[in-house]
Amino acid sequence: MGIHEQYMARCIELALKGAGHVAPNPMVGAVLVYQNTIIGEGFHAAFGGPHAEVNCFNSVEEANRSFIKESTLYVSLEPCAHFGKTPPCANLIIQYGVKQLVIGCRDPFDAVNGKGIQLVEGAGIEVIEGILAAECKELNKRFFNFHLKKQPYIILKWAQSANGKIAGTNRERVFISNELSNVLVHRWRSEEAAILVGTNTALNDNPSLNTRLWLGKSPLRLVLDTSLRLPNDLKIFTDDEPVTVFNYRKTATHNQVQYVQIHSNESIVKQIIAHCYANQIQSILVEGGARLLQSFIEEGYWNEARVITNEALTIEEGLDAPKLPLVIPIKEETLGGDQIQYFYNR
């Protein structure tokens, strides 16, 4: 690994500290280097807060500030070139007048996409791009997917028994995954913008759909309830946290509940995706039930699937788990006896 790659790897490491806190902005890390010594570091920590470049420059100690103009700034994503929640970082870089800018990959957002590079180069600063580009794009796969494909990043998740069942005969709730896997699922929730379940899951499991087992932001709850048959005393309606209900009957808002009308003669999946894209919801964790998960699979609207299998549990009669097409898991791990498989839709 070359010197540029080493510092870019550090940018990625820093950027990950913003996971779950910066969406719909991308995760970004920045490192300022003078004569092979890091004199400043920063990352985008919270949506609406200072960007990575700002925090990086601010972290430089007074004794090292005179070296900034002779330094190289590494940033995992092209610096912004527009006024959003904060001023353009490209302008800030020009203001500090670093010697060189090294970026991981370009920003696909239309307001940036190459414009940040043009501004910096126009000021006479050398720009090198494409360092660990694949890794930098993977870091912000939700952001890239949202802006390039114009739809949210979809992650499917379910837990199943060793013989591929997700519930008993009467759809009664069966606790399949163990405590360690449950904590992991709550971490997954903290990393996504929204979480989606169907009517039966909400009715039979009465879930909170929050991150109570993990220190992190809870996702926006999305529920598919076409006939509006869910009772008002469910946890999702009584905890004063926002929830969006997709249904065939009405569009309205009551307290923290937003009702969004969809149409029976169109794909439910496509309508949910269109609503989320229009409302800047960059990622959705779909947690059930089986029919809803299978709809996403059959219509091809999924990026990842994460399947937890309790290999010690068999459910003789019950509801079958969703069926993925013929794909090979890209990663497998075992957590307290549960097998967890990760699939990518290529």
Side-chain angles (χ1 to χ4, degrees):
M1 182 181 287
I3 194 70
H4 286 330
E5 287 76 12
Q6 291 179 35
Y7 291 125
M8 192 58 66
R10 177 56 181 164
C11 288
I12 294 172
E13 184 180 5
L14 288 166
L16 284 167
K17 295 177 182 290
H21 302 288
V22 301
N25 284 353
M27 293 177 282
V28 183
V31 174
L32 189 65
V33 178
Y34 174 70
Q35 293 186 353
N36 292 327
T37 299
I38 294 176
I39 62 171
E41 290 187 334
F43 64 95
H44 186 31
F47 176 68
H51 287 188
E53 296 92 330
V54 176
N55 290 327
C56 180
F57 284 125
N58 287 345
S59 74
V60 179
E61 294 181 357
E62 192 61 39
N64 291 327
R65 299 193 74 81
S66 62
F67 302 139
I68 292 178
K69 290 186 181 297
E70 295 300 319
S71 299
T72 296
L73 177 66
Y74 293 83
V75 188
S76 54
L77 188 69
E78 177 184 5
C80 60
H82 64 296
F83 283 88
K85 294 283 185 181
T86 62
C89 289
N91 290 0
L92 182 70
I93 293 168
I94 294 168
Q95 177 186 327
Y96 275 101
V98 297
K99 182 177 65 175
Q100 186 181 60
L101 172 65
V102 180
I103 66 172
C105 59
R106 293 198 176 199
D107 188 330
F109 183 42
D110 290 339
V112 184
N113 203 353
K115 298 179 181 68
I117 293 173
Q118 287 178 357
L119 281 174
V120 174
E121 284 184 329
I125 297 172
E126 180 188 9
V127 177
I128 298 174
E129 60 176 301
I131 304 300
L132 296 186
E135 291 85 346
C136 290
K137 289 177 182 177
E138 176 67 17
L139 168 70
N140 284 304
K141 56 191 176 185
R142 298 160 181 81
F143 182 79
F144 273 80
N145 185 84
F146 187 82
H147 288 288
L148 294 177
K149 294 187 176 181
K150 311 301 182 186
Q151 63 189 44
Y153 192 88
I154 308 295
I155 300 173
L156 311 180
K157 170 266 167 183
W158 68 86
Q160 62 185 22
S161 64
N163 61 331
K165 305 291 182 181
I166 65 171
T169 49
N170 298 316
R171 293 184 179 272
E172 71 271 13
R173 187 174 189 181
V174 178
F175 292 95
I176 295 176
S177 52
N178 62 43
E179 292 182 1
L180 291 174
S181 296
N182 290 339
V183 172
L184 177 61
V185 169
H186 282 235
R187 193 193 86 187
W188 291 345
R189 290 178 178 179
S190 76
E191 295 169 350
E192 308 312 328
I195 182 171
L196 171 66
V197 297
T199 310
N200 289 327
T201 299
L203 187 62
N204 299 328
D205 296 353
N206 192 16
S208 297
L209 303 179
N210 58 22
T211 55
R212 62 193 177 277
L213 302 180
W214 186 263
L215 184 62
K217 182 181 178 182
S218 291
L220 172 66
R221 283 93 54 87
L222 310 176
V223 181
L224 176 63
D225 181 20
T226 56
S227 301
L228 293 180
R229 63 187 180 93
L230 293 176
N232 293 328
D233 60 354
L234 291 179
K235 292 176 183 176
I236 56 173
F237 297 130
T238 58
D239 62 4
D240 294 324
E241 294 296 327
V243 57
T244 297
V245 180
F246 296 99
N247 69 95
Y248 289 154
R249 297 184 178 179
K250 66 179 182 180
T251 292
T253 301
H254 299 296
N255 297 323
Q256 295 294 317
V257 183
Q258 179 189 23
Y259 294 92
V260 174
Q261 186 175 15
I262 55 176
H263 306 286
S264 59
N265 59 346
E266 299 177 28
S267 162
I268 289 174
V269 170
K270 287 183 179 179
Q271 291 178 83
I272 292 173
I273 287 174
H275 171 85
C276 289
Y277 178 74
N279 287 274
Q280 293 291 305
I281 298 170
Q282 286 191 3
S283 63
I284 309 171
L285 180 64
V286 186
E287 285 207 10
R291 186 186 304 172
L292 182 59
L293 286 160
Q294 196 65 52
S295 295
F296 275 87
I297 294 169
E298 290 175 0
E299 295 189 41
Y301 287 105
W302 64 283
N303 298 89
E304 292 183 35
R306 301 171 183 176
V307 182
I308 302 171
T309 304
N310 183 337
E311 297 181 313
L313 175 67
T314 300
I315 300 175
E316 294 301 334
E317 298 290 335
L319 183 65
D320 288 335
K323 298 291 190 293
L324 287 169
L326 187 60
V327 287
I328 299 172
I330 56 118
K331 188 174 84 170
E332 297 186 30
E333 60 184 347
T334 301
L335 197 58
D338 286 348
Q339 182 194 49
I340 305 172
Q341 294 178 300
Y342 300 80
F343 301 87
Y344 275 7
N345 184 2
R346 298 300 185 186

